[in-house]
Amino acid sequence: MSKLRRRVVEAAEAALAQRKYVSAVDVFAVLGWVRSGQVDRWRQGQAPSLEQVTAVDGRRMLEAADLLGEWAREHGLNASTAAYLSSGRDREALRFVDDGDDTVFRVHWLSAELSPARREQVVQRQNRAPDLTVVEAAEPWTCAECAESGSYLITSAAGPLCLTCSDLDHLEFLPAGNAALSRRAKKESTLAAVVVRFNRRRKRYERLGILVEEAALTRAEQQCLADEEARSRRRDRDRVRRAAEDVEYRARMSDEIRRLFPRCPADRATEIAEHAAARGSGRVGRTAAAKLLSAEALTLAVIASIRHRDTDYDHLLMTGISRSEARARIRPTVDRVLESWRG
C-alpha cells in the first residue's frame, strides 16, 4: 500500500466512524492539505477553486479522491453526489480544481449501516442551499457595483458587494450569544444571512451573528419569552451531557497519543489532551482533524506541549526573538524529544 493510500484510508475510516459518511474535502482536511478557514473562504466564493487554497495541486487532489473512491467501493459504501454551492449572493457552483472535470470531488460516500430514512436525511442536508454569508471587512475594499465601501461585504460573481447593492441593507443585525433567539429569528425571516469575521490568530472564520427581518426578530423574541423556563432546564441537561462528552473525548485523545508515542509519560499524555481539547480554546484539539484523532493533528498538539514545556521557546520570545527564529532554534530539541517518545 502506498503512503498516500494509507493516509487516505486512515482519514476516511476516522471520518466514517464519526459521521457515517466521508467526502474528499474531509480527507484533505485530515491530511493537513487545507485548513478550515481556507475551506470557508472557498465556500464563501472568495477563491476561484479549492485548489487555490490547498497545499497541493489538482493532480494530487485527484489522486487522493480516486484512492478514496477505490477504498469506499471495496467496503460497500453508497455514493451520493452533493451540491457544492457558494454562500455568496448568487450561490454559484463551487469549483474544486482550476481545470478539468471535478465530479469525483462532489461524491460523498455514505455508510452502508445507515437506514434508508437516515440516508435520505443526510443526502438532503448535503444538497441544501447554504446560508448566505456576510463577511466583516478586514481590509479596505470597493463594492463591484456602486464603487463604495462599508463594514460588511458579500461575494458575488461580479465581485464583493455592499449590503445595499446585495439587497440586504433592510435587515437587522442580531449578535450571536442567544442560540434559541437566533434560530427562531432565522426561521421566521424570509431573508437572512450569517455574519462572520476572520480570526487571524486562530486562522478561521467566527460567527458574529445574523441579519434578519425586523418583524421576524420581534416574533422570535416573543416566542423565547413564552418558554424561557423550559429552555433553562434543557440548557442545564445539555451542559452535563457536554461535560461527559469532553471527558470521554480527552480520554480517547490521550490513549491515541500514547499509541503514537509509546514512551510519552501517561500523565503527560493526559495533560496534553486536556490542554489541547479544552472547549472554546480554539486549540488544535478542537479542530475537525483532531476530533477524528488524526495522527497529524495529535502530533501538532504534542509538539506544542514540548515546545512550551521542554525548551526555552517562551524565554526566547520574551527576549524579542521572532517566532520563526525561536522555533528554528528549538527544533533540534523538539525532534529529540519526539524521537525518544516514539521509542
Side-chain angles (χ1 to χ4, degrees), residues 215-260:
L217 179 55
T218 300
R219 291 193 295 271
E221 289 172 338
Q222 293 170 347
Q223 292 170 10
C224 287
L225 287 174
D227 64 355
E228 171 58 29
E229 184 177 349
R231 288 187 296 109
S232 177
R233 292 195 298 268
R234 186 164 59 247
R235 283 195 298 269
D236 290 340
R237 293 195 300 270
D238 289 343
R239 193 178 301 113
V240 173
R241 175 182 53 79
R242 286 194 298 269
E245 290 174 349
D246 285 349
V247 170
E248 190 270 340
Y249 171 47
R250 290 195 296 267
R252 288 192 295 112
M253 180 182 290
S254 177
D255 289 343
E256 185 63 12
I257 289 173
R258 290 297 307 281
R259 189 188 71 79
L260 294 171

Side-chain angles (χ1 to χ4, degrees), residues 249 253 271-278 281-287 301:
Y249 171 47
M253 180 182 290
E271 176 188 306
I272 294 171
E274 290 180 348
H275 180 78
S281 66
R283 299 183 186 122
V284 66
R286 303 306 304 183
T287 63

Side-chain angles (χ1 to χ4, degrees), residues 5 29 33 56 61-62 85 88 128 135 137 148 168 177 194 217 220 239 243 252 268 281 322 335 339:
R5 179 180 173 81
W33 290 356
V56 297
M61 291 169 60
L62 181 60
L85 304 176
R128 188 181 303 145
V135 182
E148 296 294 331
L168 298 174
V194 176
L217 179 55
R239 193 178 301 113
R252 288 192 295 112
R268 185 66 178 276
S281 66
S322 69
D335 291 342
E339 287 306 309

Side-chain angles (χ1 to χ4, degrees), residues 59 61 153 266 297:
R59 180 192 60 79
M61 291 169 60
L153 63 90

